[in-house]
Amino acid sequence: MKRMRRLRSSGAIRSLVQETRICKEQLVYPIFVIEGENIRNPVESMPGIFQHSIDRLWEECDAVRASGVRNLLIFGIPAHKDEKGSQAYDKGGITQRAIRYLKKAYPEFLIIADVCLCEYTSHGHCGLVDGCHILNDETLPLLVKMSVSLAEAGADIIAPSDMMDGRVGAIRRGLDGAGYQDIPIMSYSAKYASGYYAPFRDAAHSAPGFGDRRTYQMDPPNGREALREMEADIEEGADILMVKPALAYLDVLRAASMRFDYPMAAYNVSGEYAMVKAAAAQGYIDERRIIMENMLAMRRAGADIIITYHALSVAGWLADE
Ligand code: PBG
Ligand code: ZN
């Protein structure tokens, strides 16, 4: 008789036939850096997550170092915003300074720089705005300038999250022209217009001042369209592809990982984090079990890289397993 239970009879045998594993080398931990001094602001909707000023970044980074996580995704929150998001591509901008500090104080970290204008624009959109229209081609040169300036500051990977058409190609040419041929692009290829980003917009002060992002981010009902986005990004020179959010879009991640032989990243976003933390705080779920199950779900669906606010907890649990 076929007995599926034979391979489940002990921890040792379950571990032997375990199909999917998680390791800390695959985890990326997002960090919010804010202009100012002596700041460690808790983000209300994301328990355990803070905005840090550069002078207090060491508190978080020492914890990252101790956890064994080596990959950071950096988001800067500038003090001044304007129509063109000037601080995004200023040599002395908050993100550029944070990266310079990190490369010096924590040389072993891999620094991934998010490229988008929404944290830097007064209107909170990811591109330039004309009336209520978000301009595509006019935005590209600014994204290129931002990418080059982040590479100059020391970023190891450039990660455009704006969803303007043609941005990967423009950024690739810009990086190459500035001597950064060896800096990879991790593209937020399939980024959906999602309600799951709400806590992030508090954390990064990047909520749009009018309208929403539906004319540039993807429409949630569309799965196959994500593959066309990825195809375009590959043609334009992307090195790593991403699906975001992760958990509500595992079908997309699965299809993409079957179709494309490129490293696949899954972004376990702020709303997914907030939901788990809130339910765990109420005692409705077992936080550790649920988080590890979510990590496995992303790996099973095909993620090689997991961007998650749970990264430090996960690394800790992996260490004591
Ligand atoms: C910037 C950006 C966003 C996120 C990552 N980069 C917000 C948005 O597009 O509105 C979301 C991350 C998260 O929710 O954890 N474009
Ligand atoms: Zn944006």
Side-chain angles (χ1 to χ4, degrees), residues 223-238:
R224 286 183 299 147
E225 188 183 332
L227 302 177
R228 288 201 287 136
E229 281 281 3
M230 293 193 163
E231 221 161 66
D233 284 359
I234 290 169
E235 270 165 34
E236 292 176 33

Side-chain angles (χ1 to χ4, degrees), residues 114 116 118 161 191 197 200-201 213 217 244 270 309:
D114 185 271
C116 197
C118 57
S161 70
K191 177 173 179 182
Y197 308 149
F200 175 92
R201 290 176 188 170
R213 305 208 200 290
Q217 296 180 346
K244 174 183 174 198
S270 57
Y309 303 96

Side-chain angles (χ1 to χ4, degrees), residues 232-265:
D233 284 359
I234 290 169
E235 270 165 34
E236 292 176 33
D239 301 282
I240 301 172
L241 308 174
M242 193 198 299
V243 174
K244 174 183 174 198
L247 297 175
Y249 296 85
L250 290 178
D251 57 322
V252 175
L253 187 57
R254 182 69 178 161
S257 72
M258 303 282 282
R259 169 91 73 103
F260 303 113
D261 296 326
Y262 277 75
M264 262 323 139

